[in-house]
Amino acid sequence: DAKTTQPPSMDCAEGRAANLPCNHSTISGNEYVYWYRQIHSQGPQYIIHGLKNNETNEMASLIITEDRKSSTLILPHATLRDTAVYYCIALSNSGYALNFGKGTSLLVTP
Amino acid sequence: NAGVTQTPKFRILKIGQSMTLQCTQDMNHNYMYWYRQDPGMGLKLIYYSVGAGITDKGEVPNGYNVSRSTTEDFPLRLELAAPSQTSVYFCASSYTDNEKLFFGSGTQLSVL
């Protein structure tokens, strides 16, 4: 599975959009981009995933560049409860997430 | 559905002791996984299973054993606990591969 690179930390003001980037320049054609988040010490929670098209669900939007080498997770109106570590991983059809990496620690401030 | 249930939530072991971390899921998922998370780090895959009777190693399997006798249960065994195994352990499941993972709430283990 392709390696992903994320900034270690980001801040966002409450009510504003949080845009979390992820670089996956070596991603192959059959690898999906998955996003999870981990609030404090809880188990990670699935957010969204996509292959090439942009995706949206009740939690977030995922924008994948046309060349698929990077993506952005968007939390449209961040709340204090969105403070968490966000993980971006690339996973093929028959792949398993071997390592979640360190992710991006997002701090939403009042 | 209870989802993925892990027990115990906390445990302190002495060096050389053994224990089993329990994991059960009620979603009829075929795939199950064990991860460990060291302080300030991401999760690393220890073992996984694609169905009853089938298990395979992940990135960091040394010092651990697993079994999968039923679809619901996937226990993780530590035979000779070492301080390096101090970590938080998460169990997860998914219906197939490349499907979203559902995680348990974790077991915090300290080996002293």
Side-chain angles (χ1 to χ4, degrees):
Chain A
D1 298 325
K3 179 178 166 56
T4 59
T5 305
Q6 300 176 253
S9 64
M10 293 182 66
D11 293 343
C12 177
E14 189 178 19
R16 305 297 291 268
N19 298 295
L20 291 89
C22 180
N23 181 285
H24 31 80
S25 57
T26 61
I27 197 168
S28 61
N30 68 342
E31 286 184 308
Y32 289 75
V33 179
Y34 275 79
W35 283 84
Y36 288 82
R37 74 179 183 185
Q38 186 174 27
I39 296 175
H40 194 44
S41 302
Q42 298 174 21
Q45 174 191 27
Y46 165 83
I47 301 173
I48 199 167
H49 75 283
L51 184 63
K52 336 183 206 188
N53 298 325
N54 298 336
E55 302 286 345
T56 295
N57 63 21
E58 64 280 2
M59 290 182 71
S61 294
L62 174 61
I63 308 296
I64 302 175
T65 57
E66 195 168 336
D67 63 8
R68 301 189 69 238
K69 292 186 177 182
S70 66
S71 60
T72 301
L73 178 76
I74 301 173
L75 309 177
H77 305 288
T79 71
L80 298 179
R81 287 175 295 181
D82 292 322
T83 291
V85 177
Y86 288 77
Y87 298 101
C88 165
I89 56 174
L91 208 54
S92 64
N93 277 338
S94 58
Y96 310 100
L98 291 176
N99 189 322
F100 273 54
K102 292 188 182 181
T104 296
S105 179
L106 175 68
L107 175 64
V108 180
T109 56
Chain B
N1 286 351
V4 179
T5 303
Q6 291 183 238
T7 56
K9 291 194 184 303
F10 304 93
R11 184 73 186 266
I12 298 174
L13 284 183
K14 293 183 180 177
I15 295 171
Q17 285 186 318
S18 62
M19 78 163 292
T20 300
L21 282 66
Q22 301 292 346
C23 175
T24 187
Q25 52 92 9
D26 62 358
M27 298 174 282
N28 202 30
H29 283 171
N30 295 312
Y31 290 62
M32 295 188 75
Y33 314 80
W34 274 105
Y35 288 90
R36 62 176 285 173
Q37 184 174 32
D38 298 334
M41 305 294 285
L43 285 77
K44 294 185 178 180
L45 183 63
I46 305 172
Y47 270 96
Y48 65 96
S49 167
V50 302
I54 306 169
T55 62
D56 211 342
K57 296 177 181 178
E59 189 179 44
V60 288
N62 291 345
Y64 307 94
N65 280 300
V66 293
S67 60
R68 184 98 182 269
S69 56
T70 66
T71 300
E72 295 78 18
D73 300 305
F74 190 41
L76 177 72
R77 178 88 177 158
L78 284 71
E79 290 294 349
L80 290 169
S84 61
Q85 293 177 304
T86 293
S87 191
V88 180
Y89 292 84
F90 290 102
C91 179
S93 72
S94 62
Y95 186 61
T96 66
D97 54 358
N98 201 22
E99 284 263 340
K100 61 184 180 182
L101 301 178
F102 290 82
F103 282 85
S105 56
T107 294
Q108 188 169 322
L109 176 67
S110 295
V111 182
L112 305 176

